[in-house]
Amino acid sequence: MLTPVHRWVWSDAKRRVDKLLRFGETETDGGRDILRAAETTSDPLLRRLYLVHAIDEHRHGELFRRRGAALLRALPPHSKPAFQAVWLAPGGHGLDDLNVDEESDDAWLAFLHLSEKAAASRFTVYRDVMQDDPPTRAVFEEILHDEVFHMNYTLVQLARVSPRRHRGRLWRARLSRLWKGYLRLATAAAGVVGGLLLTIQYFVLLPPFAWLARRAERRELRGWTPVSRAGGDSLTRQY
Ligand SMILES: [Fe+2]
Ligand SMILES: [Fe+2]
């Protein structure tokens, strides 16, 4: 349904470059979190899978950055920064929402599964709207292949680690993501409302002060004003 919107978002060359470079950072950051999860887990199989996963995410970061840099070199000089439309076309996995050190294996796996699922569905749309740019489309295609594997192995491992509670864990992770999404939306809305109120204040409250200042300026004498000698010897006042 949102395909035309995504087509518009990715149609701007400068925005495409910025997005790819930002996606590169997000993938690498996500890889670091997963590497941390590999260090903290006591499950040997999970550790192996997390290491493979972290290497994948690091490679995704490289792929996005390399493609972004290639497109950046092809941009005309002094290209204007475009509106980023982060809300319309977000990237990455949203792994920043969870502190790896404080989570159990099953909570982390549930969260990871949902994040990978979200990334896979986004990248599918981005790949599909990239018909005019085969190399970028190929990057999304390659990354999408890995994201589908990440999405599947996390679910299988969640069911293995927590056979009885894995559905509950998934629901908890879903609600947590929903809540974080609401908080992000509320923060963005607060920023817009705050900006609007300050603009209204600027145009409603400042004009009377400007008018008073102009009136006071008209009463001021022009040029140099002679100062009487009497009382001019104070060390604390000018006159
Ligand atoms: Fe990735
Ligand atoms: Fe992934």
Side-chain angles (χ1 to χ4, degrees):
M1 208 167 67
L2 287 174
T3 304
V5 177
H6 287 293
R7 196 163 282 133
W8 170 79
V9 168
W10 287 93
S11 61
D12 184 280
K14 178 74 174 77
R15 183 161 50 225
R16 186 176 297 200
V17 168
D18 292 342
K19 282 204 164 295
L20 288 172
L21 294 176
R22 188 165 315 124
F23 283 13
E25 277 173 38
T26 320
E27 294 284 314
T28 309
D29 280 353
R32 274 190 216 110
D33 286 337
I34 295 159
L35 203 57
R36 181 70 193 140
E39 284 173 354
T40 54
T41 184
S42 55
D43 186 311
L45 177 58
L46 280 185
R47 184 172 303 123
R48 273 210 303 278
L49 285 164
Y50 286 160
L51 282 174
V52 171
H53 190 162
I55 292 167
D56 281 349
E57 299 301 351
H58 180 75
R59 198 167 53 83
H60 297 172
E62 290 267 302
L63 282 168
F64 276 136
R65 271 196 300 277
R66 228 177 284 155
R67 183 63 198 142
L71 286 174
L72 183 64
R73 279 192 291 273
L75 274 183
H78 313 301
S79 297
K80 285 196 181 130
F83 164 60
Q84 284 305 301
V86 176
W87 284 98
L88 293 172
H93 305 60
L95 293 179
D96 293 349
D97 288 347
L98 213 66
N99 189 350
V100 185
D101 291 341
E102 291 170 7
E103 296 300 334
S104 58
D105 276 339
D106 53 357
W108 169 246
L109 277 168
F111 181 80
L112 203 52
H113 169 68
L114 295 180
S115 306
E116 297 295 331
K117 198 173 170 181
S121 70
R122 277 182 209 136
F123 291 164
T124 305
V125 177
Y126 301 161
R127 178 203 59 188
D128 291 347
V129 299
M130 219 54 76
Q131 283 121 341
D132 64 322
D133 184 352
T136 310
R137 186 185 164 94
V139 167
F140 277 116
E141 181 77 58
E142 187 178 343
I143 291 174
L144 182 60
H145 181 263
D146 290 342
E147 305 300 9
V148 172
F149 164 67
H150 300 157
M151 180 180 89
N152 292 336
Y153 99 79
T154 43
L155 188 61
V156 171
Q157 292 306 312
L158 175 62
R160 178 183 69 84
V161 170
S162 181
R164 290 194 187 156
R165 295 190 306 164
H166 71 279
R167 281 181 210 286
R169 280 292 181 202
L170 277 174
W171 273 109
R172 242 170 87 174
R174 257 180 217 124
L175 289 175
S176 162
R177 276 176 71 90
L178 214 64
W179 175 242
K180 300 264 167 56
Y182 160 74
L183 286 182
R184 267 191 222 113
L185 206 70
T187 312
V192 172
V193 172
L196 204 70
L197 284 177
L198 283 173
T199 310
I200 291 170
Q201 281 182 15
Y202 179 81
F203 285 108
V204 171
L205 293 181
L206 277 189
F209 286 102
W211 179 75
L212 285 171
R214 287 239 175 89
R215 203 179 65 159
E217 188 194 10
R218 277 199 293 273
R219 287 180 187 165
E220 286 281 324
L221 293 171
R222 296 264 163 203
W224 294 96
T225 310
V227 178
S228 65
R229 286 201 171 275
D233 50 356
S234 169
L235 293 176
T236 55
R237 296 180 67 236
Q238 193 176 359
Y239 304 108

